[in-house]
Amino acid sequence: MKLRLFTFLSAFILFSSFTFKKNSEQILVQNSNIQTEINRDSIVVFAKKHLGIPYRYASSNPQKGFDCSGFVGYVFKNFGMTLPRSSSGYKNIGKTVKPEDFKVGDILVFYGYKNRNIVGHVGIICEANGMHSKFIHASSGKAQQVTITALDTEHYTKRFYKCVDVLSK
């Protein structure tokens, strides 16, 4: 009889502990899913920490370098967002924004410099001022690094495809 009672109590304590642990894990999971709005200025501050990192084709690794989409994806991933790995993937995402509505943290999408039918470059607006905005990007051009460039330079104005907002719901 004492052995049965001991077995029953042991099983009860074990079951209670397991149930308690399971409930506390569920609470932690629920708390980690709380959505918070991403601060646009924080995106730019984080992106600027990577100024000068060299350009490296097909890389999203700050220790090795970035290509344009690797850089944009890396920055937004830091804030819990997954974006396309290739610049061509930006053709159909987000909400298209008119120049007068550009905001810091919006993504500029450009045609390739050789082919105006294919998206070939992306960057993040860091100073919003319509078509006179500045953007941070991993440049494969003269800079060969993460740099800030004015949108109104002839090279980028001719290649401009659109601006997208991926942060607003």
Side-chain angles (χ1 to χ4, degrees), residues 33-148:
N33 287 333
I34 295 172
Q35 292 290 335
T36 58
E37 187 175 323
I38 298 171
N39 180 305
R40 291 173 176 273
D41 291 327
S42 297
I43 290 170
V44 173
V45 168
F46 182 76
K48 284 182 176 180
K49 289 179 182 178
H50 300 85
L51 283 167
I53 291 180
Y55 179 85
R56 182 160 184 171
Y57 179 74
S59 178
S60 58
N61 182 337
Q63 281 75 42
K64 294 180 180 180
F66 293 111
D67 68 3
C68 65
S69 57
F71 174 67
V72 171
Y74 177 81
V75 169
F76 279 84
K77 186 175 185 177
N78 184 68
F79 295 90
M81 291 187 67
T82 301
L83 294 175
R85 180 56 194 93
S86 170
S87 58
S88 62
Y90 286 80
K91 190 170 187 170
N92 298 312
I93 69 160
K95 175 187 164 202
T96 302
V97 181
K98 297 178 202 166
E100 60 269 19
D101 296 326
F102 287 0
K103 293 185 196 102
V104 166
D106 287 343
I107 298 172
L108 293 173
V109 183
F110 300 92
Y111 291 111
Y113 66 93
K114 292 180 182 176
N115 187 339
R116 291 195 42 86
N117 296 317
I118 298 171
V119 170
H121 191 62
V122 292
I124 304 166
I125 293 180
C126 59
E127 293 178 32
N129 185 17
M131 291 303 287
H132 301 288
S133 297
K134 291 185 178 176
F135 65 104
I136 186 167
H137 60 122
S139 173
S140 63
K142 287 181 188 176
Q144 286 289 305
Q145 64 183 349
V146 174
T147 188
I148 295 174

Side-chain angles (χ1 to χ4, degrees), residues 1-30:
M1 180 69 170
K2 287 183 182 181
L3 183 59
R4 272 193 197 162
L5 182 59
F6 177 76
T7 305
F8 173 78
L9 287 174
S10 297
F12 178 76
I13 292 170
L14 179 65
F15 177 74
S16 297
S17 298
F18 177 74
T19 303
F20 176 74
K21 184 174 182 182
K22 185 176 179 184
N23 287 340
S24 65
E25 286 175 19
Q26 288 172 343
I27 290 169
L28 290 175
V29 170
Q30 289 170 353

